[in-house]
Amino acid sequence: MIYDICIIGSGVGGAPIAYELSNAGFNVVVLEKGKDYKEEDFNKDELAVCRREIFTPPLKEEQHVINERDADGSIMRYEGSKYNWNFWNGSMVGGSSNLMSGFFHRMKPNDFKLKSVYGEIDGANVVDWPISYEDLEPYYAEVEKIVGVSGKIVKHRFLEPRSTPDFPYPALAVNGITKYFDEACKSLAYESIPTPRAILPLNALGRQGCSYSNFCGSYGCATGAKGSARAALLQRCSATIITEAFVHRLESNDKKVTKAHYYDKNRISHSVDAKIFVVAAQAIESSRLLLNSKNEFFPNGLANNSGQVGKNLIFSAGGVGSGRFTFESLSKQKELMQTGLFFNRSLQDWYEYEENDKKYKGGTIDFLFEHANIISRATKEFYDENGELIWGEKLSAKIHKNLTTSRVLTFEVFNDWLPSDYCFVSVDEKIKDKFDMPVGAINLYGHPHDIKVGTHLANKAVKVLQEMGASDIYMSISSSPPPNLVAGGCRFGMDPKTSVLDANCKAHELQNLYVTDASFMPTGGSVPYTWTIYANSFRVAKHLVSRLNALNNY
Amino acid sequence: MSLYLSDVCSPMFLKTRRTFLKSTFCTTALIVLPKSELFGAVPILETIALVQEDLFPSIRKLDINSSSYLSLILHHSRVADDEKEFLRNGVQWLNEEAVFHYKHPYIKLSSSQRQNILQIISKQRWGDNWIYTMLTYIVEATLSDPIYGANRDGAGWKWLEHIPGLPQPKEPYL
């Protein structure tokens, strides 16, 4: 059997293609490495989900190698299984979108032309996108409706142009403490923005609304309110999904991919034939698959005669911070400790800023309550104010006091991680996974510019916490890559010498190979990537419908 | 300071020693050897249970089954082998410190002597890491879903006025 389209990976990069193409009547198969879960399979078991990480592969069986480059050029090699360091995010139908927090921001028009607007930066491979914000805007709007984005538009300096006046779903309920945040921002002349979320506040789209369980990020959603690729799209289309199917190699001739070879859970090999192949296995794994698919026509890896596959890997730069609140007023304290309701506030005042007459691309700051996970909150109390490890009654008292009488408000800074020659995906020459395939090697390097911008933003966030009267204020901006905010590796562009994909996310070097996860992004914007990956995948889906119609009518 | 390793450092010996520890942990006893002299057998589970109470006395008040939980962890496929080995070796090294300073294994020491030993090892890199790791698993036991059997009747959650997320698990994963 020859499918019209074979999609490798069922997350936000692959699912819109499956949804749109199957609903248009095409014969679609999705090969997903993980298992299928339904709403009833999800629960809030911190031990299983967050500490033993049941939704990602055991590192003994499948790991990454991390080669970290220091400022002096020295490289430290880490075998992930030995250091418990990995970049897995969620191996299951719908991928890591099942576990996301769903902070949804659009990229801004200038994000699509970073080089033209802000200029080159030494040591960074900044380029403009081959498409504009205007090209992607209709698909951002489509995601709002089909996946479900809730929020409230407020006018602010960097609000992106919209084809609709507001979100299709009203904002989620928020904790009463947010009004003190809004007041603090007002006194600082900052513009507080309700954070849009890919979470339904009410029953809609055949899914239940949010139950305000107080445990969202890192957990699968038991109501279906969260707009995961599984709940929003794959459960609502007729695409064939083959689970526990690890695609280890794509076979090709000099022009086309001809087969996807996969192992099932018993390590028995199978293959799938299709007219078009779409790779959307998560940024690192997509590059790894292409690099592991060498043949006589592509001796350096599929679609890699340019040597660009795996290059210009990016993450979200920035960092985190927090402040602790204990209010003397009983009513204020009662509001603070009320669980379940969201905080949902963001700042984008410095999405672009000037310093010493120089224009900088800045970013976004999201504010949220510290995660409700009780074990992780307690483990944060192991050290005293002098950095000394404590135990015994002293530790018990500290845990009890801090967890029962105060609440921590955290912030996350998102700014551009500049692409560079030193940050890329390769395959390791020594270590193989349980399928006997070379594991992905993540070569890490963070550009110093990223730290400078991140620190500028974090200092603004700290001012808000100070204005609100927080104690124990803390911030950390570093080059540590967040494993759940990864992109690049197969960036799109007009020049086949400097990019892997064309503007439609088709490989320059092959006629029927597309890559539609975050790999395509040459730069990431200063927002979480998920909404943009969704929108781009809907955009490519429209192209593929036209292309397959033409192919089938030929 | 590790007395057991002070005179013997060959890789083969280390491998044999690790194998010994792995095969005997929680089934019998470790042998604490000050230099080359047989000192005595140390019951492992008793040592762990006592260390856990010394590190986090609330587990006794809350009736947390913390040592059994650690036994689960030491056999869990999702916990790295290096971590399991470190936990086991830490028990050995703790006893070596106890013998070095007080001529007796940890469980034979007074409360103040045991706290002194914990203070001493906390100044060493391995000791700081080991106590942190032990505390982490104690807190996991205390605040895990009651379905795992350690946090009986949700006593740890009640202590911290914690409202669990719903739905709770129907089956234990461990």
Side-chain angles (χ1 to χ4, degrees), chain A residues 17 503-505 514 516 535-545:
Chain A
I17 312 271
N504 288 319
C505 290
Y514 291 76
T516 59
N536 183 65
S537 189
F538 275 104
R539 182 185 69 91
V540 175
K542 187 175 182 186
H543 159 80
L544 286 172
V545 168

Side-chain angles (χ1 to χ4, degrees), chain A residues 105-268:
Chain A
H105 297 281
R106 297 181 180 201
M107 286 173 58
K108 314 287 183 191
N110 281 351
D111 281 322
F112 293 73
K113 41 191 179 182
L114 217 57
K115 184 178 176 182
S116 301
V117 175
Y118 303 98
E120 294 206 37
I121 295 174
D122 282 347
N125 301 329
V126 178
V127 291
D128 290 350
W129 285 35
I131 62 171
S132 67
Y133 174 81
E134 289 71 28
D135 293 324
L136 205 54
E137 198 284 333
Y139 303 99
Y140 278 127
E142 200 166 345
V143 173
E144 287 183 6
K145 284 185 279 186
I146 296 175
V147 174
V149 182
S150 57
K152 178 176 171 51
I153 289 295
V154 296
K155 299 284 182 195
H156 63 95
R157 185 179 162 207
F158 291 105
L159 177 64
E160 58 281 350
R162 293 177 52 88
S163 54
T164 59
D166 212 333
F167 294 102
Y169 301 98
L172 292 153
V174 295
N175 186 289
I177 293 300
T178 53
K179 61 179 171 283
Y180 304 112
F181 177 90
D182 295 341
E183 286 170 7
C185 288
K186 197 173 178 184
S187 67
L188 290 165
Y190 299 168
E191 295 177 298
S192 170
I193 306 166
T195 307
R197 303 289 294 264
I199 299 172
L200 297 173
L202 39 80
N203 296 352
L205 300 171
R207 292 150 48 197
Q208 292 178 51
C210 181
S211 65
Y212 298 93
S213 77
N214 200 35
F215 293 75
C216 189
S218 302
Y219 289 96
C221 182
T223 67
K226 195 190 287 186
S228 72
R230 177 192 53 79
L233 303 175
L234 295 174
Q235 287 186 174
R236 308 184 64 76
C237 75
S238 60
T240 300
I241 302 172
I242 302 176
T243 58
E244 297 182 82
F246 171 66
V247 178
H248 60 94
R249 187 168 66 90
L250 296 175
E251 187 178 325
S252 85
N253 55 35
D254 62 333
K255 293 184 178 63
K256 290 184 174 180
V257 177
T258 52
K259 288 180 191 297
H261 294 273
Y262 72 89
Y263 290 117
D264 66 19
K265 63 181 174 183
N266 299 314
R267 301 190 195 184
I268 295 169

Side-chain angles (χ1 to χ4, degrees), chain A residues 233-528:
Chain A
L233 303 175
L234 295 174
Q235 287 186 174
R236 308 184 64 76
C237 75
S238 60
T240 300
I241 302 172
I242 302 176
T243 58
E244 297 182 82
F246 171 66
V247 178
H248 60 94
R249 187 168 66 90
L250 296 175
E251 187 178 325
S252 85
N253 55 35
D254 62 333
K255 293 184 178 63
K256 290 184 174 180
V257 177
T258 52
K259 288 180 191 297
H261 294 273
Y262 72 89
Y263 290 117
D264 66 19
K265 63 181 174 183
N266 299 314
R267 301 190 195 184
I268 295 169
S269 186
H270 305 265
S271 66
V272 167
D273 295 8
K275 294 171 187 168
I276 287 175
F277 291 83
V278 174
V279 176
Q282 186 246 19
I284 292 163
E285 288 300 293
S286 290
S287 284
R288 176 192 174 209
L289 173 59
L290 299 186
L291 293 170
N292 276 338
S293 298
K294 296 174 185 173
N295 61 33
E296 61 181 303
F297 308 105
F298 298 97
N300 301 315
L302 205 60
N304 193 31
N305 288 337
S306 65
Q308 288 294 307
V309 170
K311 298 293 163 55
N312 297 300
L313 183 72
I314 54 173
F315 298 86
S316 181
V320 296
S322 63
R324 186 180 296 281
F325 289 90
T326 312
F327 292 120
E328 287 176 11
S329 146
L330 203 60
S331 62
K332 213 170 166 183
Q333 181 72 5
K334 200 174 170 187
E335 269 185 318
L336 174 73
M337 301 305 281
Q338 186 179 9
T339 58
L341 300 176
F342 294 95
F343 196 84
N344 277 358
R345 286 292 184 271
S346 302
L347 297 175
Q348 293 192 319
D349 296 64
W350 312 276
Y351 209 83
E352 178 182 303
Y353 65 93
E354 287 196 11
E355 199 173 67
N356 301 326
D357 296 328
K358 184 172 164 47
K359 189 159 65 173
Y360 285 87
K361 171 64 200 308
T364 300
I365 310 167
D366 282 339
F367 287 82
L368 60 155
F369 281 125
E370 180 184 41
H371 198 290
N373 273 346
I374 188 78
I375 296 170
S376 69
R377 284 163 61 207
T379 58
K380 287 176 187 168
E381 305 294 338
F382 287 177
Y383 289 90
D384 67 13
E385 60 279 10
N386 301 316
E388 296 288 329
L389 187 62
I390 57 172
W391 60 85
E393 295 292 355
K394 187 176 176 185
L395 175 61
S396 286
K398 182 168 184 263
I399 289 174
H400 188 266
K401 178 174 181 255
N402 281 344
L403 269 61
T404 58
T405 64
S406 66
R407 198 158 182 194
V408 172
L409 183 63
T410 63
F411 64 82
E412 297 177 349
V413 171
F414 299 87
N415 59 280
D416 286 85
W417 177 291
L418 296 178
S420 76
D421 289 344
Y422 302 130
C423 197
F424 60 97
V425 180
S426 54
V427 289
D428 195 68
E429 293 177 356
K430 292 180 186 169
I431 296 182
K432 294 183 176 179
D433 66 10
K434 67 177 181 182
F435 301 106
D436 206 31
M437 296 305 296
V439 303
I442 299 147
N443 303 273
L444 284 179
Y445 172 72
H447 196 289
H449 183 89
D450 305 343
I451 304 274
K452 186 177 179 180
V453 174
T455 303
H456 182 88
L457 295 169
N459 283 329
K460 304 293 185 187
V462 163
K463 281 188 180 172
V464 180
L465 295 177
Q466 287 170 333
E467 182 72 19
M468 289 178 74
S471 61
D472 301 343
I473 294 175
Y474 154 89
M475 64 176 247
S476 171
I477 300 297
S478 75
S479 297
S480 298
N484 59 333
L485 294 162
V486 55
C490 296
R491 67 184 186 178
F492 72 165
M494 305 307 284
D495 185 352
K497 290 178 186 166
T498 58
S499 57
V500 176
L501 310 172
D502 68 14
N504 288 319
C505 290
K506 185 189 79 65
H508 289 299
E509 299 176 17
L510 284 151
Q511 295 174 0
N512 67 339
L513 174 65
Y514 291 76
V515 182
T516 59
D517 56 25
S519 303
F520 79 96
M521 299 171 76
T523 55
S526 298
V527 290

